[in-house]
Amino acid sequence: MLFDILALVSLLFVIVLLKRLVGIFPSLTSCMARWKENVNLQHSLKTRTDRDLLAASMCIPFVLTAFRFRMYCPDFMLGFGEDARLGLTFGIFAAYIALRVACRYIFRFHKTPTAIFETATESVRTYFIPLTLLMMAIGGILSLTDVPISHIRTAMFWVSGAIYIVFLIRKTQIFHSSCSFFVSFLYLCALEILPTGVLIASAVIF
């Protein structure tokens, strides 16, 4: 019941923001192809605002998709009912976001220009939008063709991994535009590898 309600809410959000999505989509694809486009997007107030709104609206469908196809399903969640597991999934997603924000404030080298730091750290929203759209498309299309959930989940992991690698490369390039490669690598470890590693470890260990 809770899943259906949230799915309806997320659908309404997407419909309301559909015009913004169509308008910003060329910029999102350009950001994936060239790192400098991420800087251009960050400098445009309208484009940045549209991206942030769309990224926020994608949080619910992202978690619902991950829950539906059991992309995050550690053993400790198996004893709960569906609504409780969905609530836990949202809670873990929120904790992951909070950890990313904490790392952003903790591992901040003051010599790094503010504009570059903000462009790099906020670029995750740029890649989160196409990631969620692709996951939803994969889940919807393959479900209609009666593909087993395990195969759909594998396809989603591959797509997620590919987009995440592109994101890591672009984020490193943004930092490297004003920092040394060593500092850029340290940023990558502190801001991405650490929180994502904790998330993966929680799924494997628990």
Side-chain angles (χ1 to χ4, degrees):
M1 183 64 178
L2 179 60
F3 184 95
D4 296 334
I5 293 173
L6 291 175
L8 179 59
V9 171
S10 62
L11 177 61
L12 292 175
F13 278 145
V14 172
I15 292 175
V16 170
L17 297 173
L18 185 59
K19 184 177 181 180
R20 293 176 185 262
L21 176 60
V22 173
I24 197 179
F25 197 77
S27 180
L28 298 179
T29 55
S30 296
C31 287
M32 298 186 70
R34 297 179 295 276
W35 71 268
K36 288 185 178 180
E37 290 297 328
N38 292 271
V39 178
N40 295 335
L41 187 153
Q42 189 70 18
H43 287 167
S44 172
L45 178 60
K46 182 183 183 305
T47 307
R48 186 174 74 246
T49 301
D50 288 346
R51 179 207 56 189
D52 294 347
L53 285 173
L54 286 165
S57 72
M58 292 293 166
C59 289
I60 295 179
F62 175 83
V63 174
L64 291 178
T65 303
F67 174 79
R68 169 68 177 79
F69 297 99
R70 299 183 180 180
M71 296 186 68
Y72 182 89
C73 190
D75 292 340
F76 78 88
M77 293 176 61
L78 298 179
F80 294 91
E82 180 175 319
D83 288 351
R85 285 188 285 112
L86 180 56
L88 284 170
T89 304
F90 272 102
I92 291 168
F93 179 74
Y96 173 66
I97 297 300
L99 179 58
R100 291 181 62 92
V101 173
C103 290
R104 175 178 175 175
Y105 285 100
I106 294 172
F107 303 107
R108 169 76 163 92
F109 299 123
H110 295 291
K111 291 184 179 180
T112 305
T114 301
I116 291 296
F117 185 80
E118 290 181 351
T119 298
T121 53
E122 294 180 10
S123 63
V124 64
R125 303 168 190 173
T126 302
Y127 297 83
F128 180 65
I129 297 169
L131 169 62
T132 304
L133 293 174
L134 281 174
M135 286 176 56
M136 293 170 62
I138 291 171
I141 294 172
L142 295 185
S143 294
L144 291 175
T145 56
D146 295 327
V147 175
I149 288 182
S150 60
H151 294 176
I152 298 175
R153 182 168 58 246
T154 300
M156 287 183 175
F157 277 129
W158 276 104
V159 170
S160 300
I163 292 180
Y164 192 63
I165 289 173
V166 173
F167 163 62
L168 293 180
I169 293 173
R170 297 292 174 255
K171 188 168 186 174
T172 303
Q173 290 174 319
I174 294 170
F175 276 125
H176 190 48
S177 66
S178 64
C179 306
S180 67
F181 180 78
F182 178 69
V183 173
S184 302
F185 179 74
L186 289 180
Y187 268 133
L188 194 67
C189 292
L191 301 178
E192 290 298 333
I193 305 302
L194 175 59
T196 303
V198 170
L199 178 65
I200 295 174
S202 70
V204 174
I205 295 175
F206 300 105

